[in-house]
Amino acid sequence: MRPSCCVLERPFLGALAGGSGSGTKIRKFERRFRCCLGAMQDNAAAPALEIRFDTIRQELSKIARESFQTTLGEWGNVEPAVAACANPNFGDYQINNAMGIWSTIKGKETEFRNPREIAQSITRNFPQTGFVETTSVAGPGFINVKLSSVYIAKRLNELLLHGIDTWAPVLPVKRAIVDFSSPNIAKEMHVGHLRSTIIGDCLANMIEYCKVEVLRRNHVGDWGTQFGMLIEYLFEMFPNWEDIGDQAIGDLQAFYKESKVRFDADEEFKAKAQQAVVKLQSGDAKYRAAWKILCNISRNEFQQVYDRLKVSLEEKGESFYNPYIPDAIQILRDKGILEESDGATVIFVDGHKIPLIAIKRDGGFNYASTDLAALWYRLNVEKVEWIIYVTDVGQHQHFDMLFKAAKRAEWLPKEGYPRTQHVGFGLVLGADGKRFRTRQGTGLVRLVDLLDEAKSRSKTALIERGRDDEWSPEDLDAAAESVGYGAVKYADLKNNRETNYTFSFEQMLDVRGNTAVYLLYAYARIRSIIRKSGKSIDELKENGAIVLTHPDERALGLFLIQFSEVVEDAVTRLLPNTLCEYLYNLSENFTRFYTSCKVNGSPEETSRLLLCEATAIVMKQCFKLLGITPLERL
């Protein structure tokens, strides 16, 4: 069978790119290859082209691994510890294995007397490549590597030719679930759900960029005893409930409160509500229809938030997994890990004094029952290899117990894949340092209104800058959305997710410092520089190339080609702030370059315009992964 995809490996292109005139060689090859590809694609069965380039760390790891073997033989079978240098005065990258290797061979008969000698021998045995310019050894055995400026420029020219997708890291999985947002039906969607939605969407974006299929799962709370109370109150308040539509119920949160007051005060109503739960869960058509009305009202409110944030989710709520609970429980029983404790059926796991309750004392199921069934379904029916749960840090214990129970049941291996991870996040604080509330006084500030205030403030700022005279109302509105909603997202994502952060419109909409507003202006400025040149970037790509001669050109170029490993780190650690930090530092690097290197009208104009374009491409991809819409003009 013919392969479905033709992968053009980086070393193949690298061979074309060595030596002088490398940019011309690649461009000539590219033009010829595109002609051949166009002919191939006329046939529907022809393979698709996929080009993926290694990260710099991977390139250096390859030559380090080869040198380890040459230098140390059997003792050189270690994974290279390659990292970017914190101090550029030492070099671009550092390989930090010599001290660890020395601790292994110390006292054995070797030619080495200390780790520094090991490091020096490793550098002497580096294979000859076109991308390492110099090496040096610092301190007890740190190997510092300086990359060739020609190589850095080559990587940037490859970006311009093949696009940012060729820089996507390769992950060890093909299918993943990101479980995020997950509000409760008939209850207010609060700022905790906003954090889960923003963080979860960013993680899904980054994993999708790595060519992994991501199931964006919204595990809404749409099942439980509260629905008996709500349904019975619906029947009582609106006898013709089937004809009234959603409008008559009005504010579902207020409706919930009213029904709860009635539930607590009226024993007869309470009994009816409890019986309603039984009828709902047994599949009674009338009660299921009423339940769907209540769920749809909440879904419509949630969707207003998702639409503004441009977040896509697939709902599979608690009710979806309810039919799978009995089978999941039986599997656990057959495994022999269920025990009876104080009238409940539980699973004991290491590290916790209390057990995970699988079945309550009254024989009913609970939150853990649903999560066990959902986990079984995701592993065995959807066949995912990586499941990520995005909730507040307060649920860490629950998920730790859930994952350990799954390992006891041998649903998950002790190491490797498939795997599960809990991504916890801290609180959103108000200006007073206390938990931020969407409720103020007796009134209710909805999340939709909170987002719209960010947009309104952004629009006011744009009008103050005179943009209403320059742009159409539609463009002004789109810009206000991009800046306002982007500011809310970035203010959340730039912080380590596990820490608390203070919600402040003034800070997040500041045009100075590490804010989305500042970064969006920085991106628009680059686009403006390119427009003012009057040159066609496509023509410059075709006929020109990036050449790095000035130190600030090289510093910017080096930082750009580190993008893929930054994404790799952000995905591996599930920390979006890693990408935010990179984006902010990239804008600072560009400012230094633009301050010291004239672009338009300079002898180096072509190269520097292409360097501007490469910077804009990487910045735009950062915004995309963060869920922010960049603006070409601002």
Side-chain angles (χ1 to χ4, degrees), residues 223 231 274-288 291 322:
W223 202 246
I231 290 170
Q274 291 169 338
Q275 187 60 33
V277 174
V278 176
K279 292 180 178 179
L280 171 65
Q281 295 184 351
S282 64
D284 185 288
K286 175 183 175 183
Y287 285 79
R288 282 293 176 101
W291 169 73
N322 193 64

Side-chain angles (χ1 to χ4, degrees), residues 613-628:
E613 176 67 11
T615 304
I617 289 171
V618 173
M619 286 190 76
K620 186 174 185 178
Q621 186 63 23
C622 287
F623 284 128
K624 181 178 179 181
L625 299 182
L626 295 171
I628 298 172

Side-chain angles (χ1 to χ4, degrees), residues 314-382:
E314 178 196 8
E315 182 183 311
K316 270 191 169 65
E318 292 174 351
S319 63
F320 177 85
Y321 300 106
N322 193 64
Y324 297 94
I325 294 177
D327 286 344
I329 295 296
Q330 187 58 48
I331 292 168
L332 295 170
R333 198 182 301 281
D334 293 343
K335 288 282 186 179
I337 67 171
L338 292 182
E339 301 180 40
E340 299 303 314
S341 176
D342 199 20
T345 303
V346 304
I347 304 171
F348 286 96
V349 296
D350 292 338
H352 297 278
K353 294 181 180 179
I354 60 172
L356 185 72
I357 299 174
I359 305 176
K360 297 186 295 183
R361 293 179 190 174
D362 62 4
F365 300 131
N366 61 3
Y367 188 69
S369 315
T370 303
D371 277 350
L372 285 165
L375 180 54
W376 181 89
Y377 182 88
R378 291 166 176 182
L379 292 169
N380 294 280
V381 178
E382 295 179 308

